[in-house]
Amino acid sequence: MLQVLVVEDEPFTREELNGFLAGMPEIADVVSAESGEAAVRLLGGTAFDAVFLDISMPGLDGMAVARVISMLSAPPAIVFVTASESHAIEAFGIGAVDYLLKPVRPERLADSVARIARLRRGPEEEGGPADELAVVQIEHSRRTVFVRRDDIQFAEAHGDYVRLHTADGTHLIRLSLSYLEDVWAPAGFVRVHRGFLVAVRWVHDLRVTSSAGLVACTPAGDVPVSRRHARGLKERLIDAARSGQLGRAAR
């Protein structure tokens, strides 16, 4: 779980970022600062995993704060959040993990958080997040549904959400597809298209259709496979077949 600092002088944007971040499963706590000077004071006494940092601020601007961060013995990851593209080269030169343009989309922010969580994990923790999401908790209006990861055959990007497809139907959850790709990779989920992940164990064959091109066939439906990902998927399916895992979940 990540401890993060939001540095933003605009109250509305600061509160919006706080709200987005606080709702993400990777985040343990969100602290905010309204100026570069306040951020430096906090960084001097608190260990953070990541700093979401505005650039254009009165007084000590974001680039100056980033240089202070780089001198810390255990510097947090830096994600710049700004209205201008003009500082991108300098930002990545400083070592920023990401560069987000305002207004920030929740899905784009979730991608940055997933990247930071991956960087912060040590080899001994590689399986942790996948285990944490072995069961997905989905809130409906008056009920909570628990979906086992092993029952999910494929996942589909759906705006700021992901639609999870099982034999019994579909479920929407507010996570990014990139985050699920990271944490479910050890469980056999692979990217097959910009908007889809598929669980290799549920694929029973590949098929070429006139409407969608190459698709991976699962009991819950056909999943489009882009040319970019076709070769990698075929290799994974061959490996699964050799180990006796191909189509095993479908039987």
Side-chain angles (χ1 to χ4, degrees), residues 163-186:
R163 187 179 294 279
L164 306 175
H165 294 257
T166 71
D168 298 324
T170 66
H171 306 274
L172 277 176
I173 185 169
R174 188 158 190 164
L175 288 174
S176 76
L177 197 68
S178 294
Y179 174 68
L180 289 182
E181 180 183 13
D182 285 336
V183 300
W184 280 356

Side-chain angles (χ1 to χ4, degrees), residues 98-201:
D98 211 343
Y99 192 93
L100 306 182
L101 292 175
K102 299 176 183 177
V104 178
R105 293 184 296 113
E107 183 177 1
R108 186 68 181 83
L109 188 64
D111 287 343
S112 292
V113 171
R115 186 173 303 150
I116 293 164
R118 184 171 65 249
L119 291 171
R120 292 285 158 177
R121 288 201 303 268
E124 70 282 358
E125 299 176 273
E126 198 61 34
D131 292 336
E132 289 177 17
L133 286 180
V135 177
V136 180
Q137 179 176 317
I138 300 170
E139 302 292 341
H140 291 280
S141 56
R142 293 188 177 182
R143 63 193 182 103
T144 300
V145 176
F146 298 92
V147 181
R148 295 172 65 246
R149 182 188 60 222
D150 290 347
D151 293 332
I152 297 166
Q153 300 182 22
F154 64 95
E156 175 186 3
H158 194 84
D160 293 334
Y161 292 77
V162 172
R163 187 179 294 279
L164 306 175
H165 294 257
T166 71
D168 298 324
T170 66
H171 306 274
L172 277 176
I173 185 169
R174 188 158 190 164
L175 288 174
S176 76
L177 197 68
S178 294
Y179 174 68
L180 289 182
E181 180 183 13
D182 285 336
V183 300
W184 280 356
F189 282 78
V190 297
R191 175 86 69 159
V192 294
H193 186 279
R194 181 176 61 182
F196 289 86
L197 302 177
V198 70
V200 170
R201 65 196 296 265

Side-chain angles (χ1 to χ4, degrees), residues 58-94:
L60 203 63
D61 68 14
M63 289 298 175
V65 175
R67 293 186 186 95
V68 172
I69 290 173
S70 68
M71 293 186 289
L72 297 175
S73 58
I78 299 172
V79 175
F80 285 105
V81 183
T82 178
S84 172
E85 297 180 6
S86 60
H87 297 282
I89 294 176
E90 184 181 1
F92 287 113
I94 289 173

Side-chain angles (χ1 to χ4, degrees), residues 36-52:
E37 290 82 1
V40 170
R41 288 194 294 271
L42 285 168
L43 287 161
T46 306
F48 293 99
D49 296 297
V51 179
F52 291 81

